[in-house]
Amino acid sequence: MNTNQHLSQRFDDELENIRNHLILMGSLIETQVDHAVQALLQQNKQCARDVFWLSQEVKSLETQLDGMSVGTLALRQPVAGDLRLLIVTIKLVTDFARISSEAEYIAAHAVGFTNNVDLVSRLCTDISPMGEQVKNILHNALDAFVRMDVAKANEAIPNDRRVDHEFDKLSRQLLSRMQDDIRHVRYCLSAMRHARALERIGDHAKNICEYVVYLVNGQDVRHPHHEQLPSSPQTSEF
């Protein structure tokens, strides 16, 4: 093998290593979200502890991937698809870390109604639909990344709107409940905070899908209606 072939093989190995680390990090955050939702809806302390245990591995991978991607960018000066992979890696690591943080928040405040069967039942009714939607969009986003499946990514992107709709509906219900009876304020505020964390996870999952489209096609689909905006800002006349 000549020098160029050797360097090319090393570069390919570096990119594959980065991709494998991303897949592992994605798997860990998916498990974190699943355990966080279980901790919340089942008042399961062990699931809550698992979320924090997994977060240490996520943080370690975040540091490793930051170093690998920046180092490869600096040393290899990649172009085209290789460059997009490294750009996406930097963005994905940020979204993965934020999903992990939201899962930690849910886990940290999950177990609080263990002795109140009525509140646990109400929490399941209020949060469960949104929790399932968020877990589904995250799973599909990560699967699309692993398979580099643009069709699946595009299919999953609109699901974030369903999560947003569910959050808006639940927020209105909780606000109405607080106004009707002040005794519900503590529970409703807690449920709303958990719902907000889930809604943010849905946003990050949508980002993952958009990165897949960019990585495979080189197409930025984050702002699909930007072409409708004026080419320059309009000046106001006073």
Side-chain angles (χ1 to χ4, degrees), residues 12-47:
D12 289 342
D13 291 344
E14 288 173 13
L15 294 178
E16 185 64 21
N17 193 33
I18 287 172
R19 188 171 182 275
N20 289 337
H21 276 67
L22 279 172
I23 291 171
L24 176 57
M25 192 175 180
S27 176
L28 291 175
I29 63 163
E30 183 176 14
T31 303
Q32 276 190 293
V33 172
D34 183 63
H35 285 195
V37 173
Q38 286 187 58
L40 178 62
L41 299 181
Q42 300 174 14
Q43 297 291 284
N44 189 317
K45 293 181 180 180
Q46 183 57 53
C47 282

Side-chain angles (χ1 to χ4, degrees), residues 11 76-84:
F11 184 30
R76 303 297 186 187
Q77 299 182 337
V79 296
D82 295 337
L83 177 59
R84 291 202 300 272

Side-chain angles (χ1 to χ4, degrees), residues 101-112:
S101 295
E102 296 296 347
E104 284 187 74
Y105 176 86
I106 294 171
H109 302 87
V111 184

Side-chain angles (χ1 to χ4, degrees), residues 66-83:
D66 282 344
M68 286 190 290
S69 55
V70 171
T72 303
L73 272 171
L75 294 174
R76 303 297 186 187
Q77 299 182 337
V79 296
D82 295 337
L83 177 59

Side-chain angles (χ1 to χ4, degrees), residues 139-232:
H139 174 78
N140 288 337
L142 293 171
D143 190 53
F145 171 72
V146 171
R147 300 173 185 273
M148 290 292 107
D149 189 335
V150 172
K152 188 163 191 175
N154 279 322
E155 183 180 322
I157 288 172
N159 290 336
D160 179 58
R161 289 199 293 270
R162 299 178 188 174
V163 174
D164 292 339
H165 174 74
E166 191 68 34
F167 174 73
D168 291 341
K169 182 176 73 172
L170 178 58
S171 296
R172 289 193 297 271
Q173 291 173 349
L174 293 172
L175 285 170
S176 177
R177 206 176 294 169
M178 284 190 286
Q179 291 171 346
D180 291 341
D181 192 335
I182 195 172
R183 291 174 298 179
H184 295 158
V185 168
R186 178 175 172 270
Y187 163 78
C188 290
L189 289 176
S190 178
M192 196 175 295
R193 286 192 292 266
H194 290 305
R196 171 60 76 181
L198 288 169
E199 189 266 341
R200 286 172 178 157
I201 292 172
D203 288 340
H204 292 303
K206 182 185 76 169
N207 291 346
I208 296 168
C209 294
E210 292 171 344
Y211 299 151
V212 171
V213 178
Y214 172 70
L215 180 56
V216 177
N217 291 344
Q219 178 186 7
D220 189 341
V221 294
R222 291 175 299 171
H223 310 295
H225 304 298
H226 72 279
E227 68 276 2
Q228 298 176 5
L229 298 175
S231 57
S232 60

